[in-house]
Amino acid sequence: MSTTPSTSQPRGEGERVLVLGGGGSTGNAWLIGVVAGLHEAGLDVTSADLTVGTSAGSTAAAQLAGGTPAELFAAALTPISPRPAGAAGAARPGGGRGPVRSAADQMARTAAIIAAADDVADMRRRMGAAALELDAASDGSWSARWRETVAARLTTLRWPERELRITAVDARTGEPVVLDRDSGVDLADAVAASCSSGLPYRIGDRRYIDGGYRRNENADLAAGYRRVLVLSPFGGRSRHPRAWGTDLATQVDELRATGSGVATVFPASEAMFGANAMDVSLRPAAARAGHDQGVALAGELTELWR
């Protein structure tokens, strides 16, 4: 199957946008926890006119399209035994890195690529080229196995009726890509592409890498909407130089400059994120922390959302 997803930035006109940023396995659990806590306290953010999902946030967005916040929260509380670092084919619940290297190796490898890049476009091209090199040295079976892993996490394999945008980057060109129900791409494939930052994910004759290389939370895709809620597991932090403008603060400034009301929610503690983002044993704690924040923030966020 050959597909040509949009590489331009879609704009819309509407009321509410929920933006779910990347953040590995613990980030996925925290996102689900926040949404569940808000819902329990009377604020249903799954009613957003548009949801934007990036990396682990794309998994959460797709999960919320087919399951209730309470059901997903209960599942996130289920303990998972960690696999050995760097285990071949290791599944990463909720979305995350590719299976070739340990999280520490992956962070070091990508940090070197970021440091060598001239700008964000150059960084995306370098990330794509590095992923393609790994792909060339592999047996070619990873994409099929990764899709199976991702599909097993989702509560539905159908795109939702409400608009959902999932981000990725074309590994060959470095061009940002936005996938939606009109892209000719299955939902499981879109999520697998957005979560792929080790090997590139294959869809037809194209290859994709993690949507976080587009911009960290991709909140700019909410341009034209009046009310925007951003849940950022990494607390708005960026590994990229501030001058590149990929950080969340810059995206929020852009949205507010065009009239959008924006609220951001960050984890109360960094202990379960960053270097620990792929530690699946921390998922229950991350989910509970997110739930507590959601319950506590529901009243404050109701004015923005309603």
Side-chain angles (χ1 to χ4, degrees), residues 24-26 28 56 59 63 79-103 142-154 195 276-283:
S25 185
T26 58
N28 169 265
T59 307
Q63 289 169 328
I80 299 173
S81 299
R83 297 196 180 192
R92 305 294 191 183
R97 308 298 178 184
V100 175
R101 298 166 181 260
S102 70
W142 180 73
S143 285
R145 290 186 285 114
W146 184 234
R147 187 189 191 283
E148 182 178 352
T149 297
V150 169
R153 298 172 182 159
L154 304 185
C195 295
N276 293 321
M278 300 316 303
D279 186 344
V280 296
S281 69
L282 296 176
R283 280 178 58 79

Side-chain angles (χ1 to χ4, degrees), residues 202-267:
R202 180 194 306 255
I203 304 178
D205 57 0
R206 301 185 71 175
R207 306 290 185 275
Y208 298 95
I209 57 173
D210 197 293
Y213 296 130
R214 181 188 177 276
R215 291 181 87 169
N216 290 335
E217 289 79 12
N218 294 295
D220 58 298
L221 294 178
Y225 288 78
R226 294 179 179 86
R227 307 171 191 186
V228 183
L229 174 61
V230 183
L231 308 185
S232 174
F234 283 148
R237 296 186 301 277
S238 174
R239 300 171 67 204
H240 307 158
R242 182 65 184 270
W244 289 3
T246 61
D247 61 290
L248 179 58
T250 297
Q251 297 169 56
V252 170
D253 288 345
E254 292 170 355
L255 290 170
R256 288 176 174 161
T258 59
S260 297
V262 185
T264 58
V265 179
F266 304 150

Side-chain angles (χ1 to χ4, degrees), residues 141-224:
S141 67
W142 180 73
S143 285
R145 290 186 285 114
W146 184 234
R147 187 189 191 283
E148 182 178 352
T149 297
V150 169
R153 298 172 182 159
L154 304 185
T155 48
T156 179
L157 299 181
R158 297 174 60 88
W159 285 93
E161 290 301 316
R162 294 183 186 274
E163 188 169 5
L164 169 59
R165 296 176 186 166
I166 291 177
T167 63
V169 171
D170 188 301
R172 290 201 174 104
T173 67
E175 287 293 321
V177 174
V178 179
L179 302 166
D180 60 22
R181 62 173 175 260
D182 297 322
S183 298
V185 173
D186 290 344
L187 179 59
D189 282 328
V191 173
S194 189
C195 295
S196 182
S197 56
L199 274 69
Y201 183 72
R202 180 194 306 255
I203 304 178
D205 57 0
R206 301 185 71 175
R207 306 290 185 275
Y208 298 95
I209 57 173
D210 197 293
Y213 296 130
R214 181 188 177 276
R215 291 181 87 169
N216 290 335
E217 289 79 12
N218 294 295
D220 58 298
L221 294 178

Side-chain angles (χ1 to χ4, degrees), residues 26-129:
T26 58
N28 169 265
W30 178 81
L31 290 168
I32 293 298
V34 173
V35 173
L38 291 172
H39 191 272
E40 183 178 307
L43 183 58
D44 182 12
V45 296
T46 67
S47 63
D49 300 297
L50 166 66
T51 301
V52 176
T54 297
S55 197
S58 74
T59 307
Q63 289 169 328
L64 289 164
T68 69
E71 291 169 342
L72 295 170
F73 177 56
L77 293 177
T78 303
I80 299 173
S81 299
R83 297 196 180 192
R92 305 294 191 183
R97 308 298 178 184
V100 175
R101 298 166 181 260
S102 70
D105 287 345
Q106 174 75 357
M107 290 291 285
R109 184 180 71 93
T110 54
I113 293 172
I114 293 168
D118 295 327
D119 53 30
V120 66
D122 184 39
M123 181 271 293
R124 293 183 191 123
R125 288 190 293 268
R126 288 172 181 262
M127 287 290 184

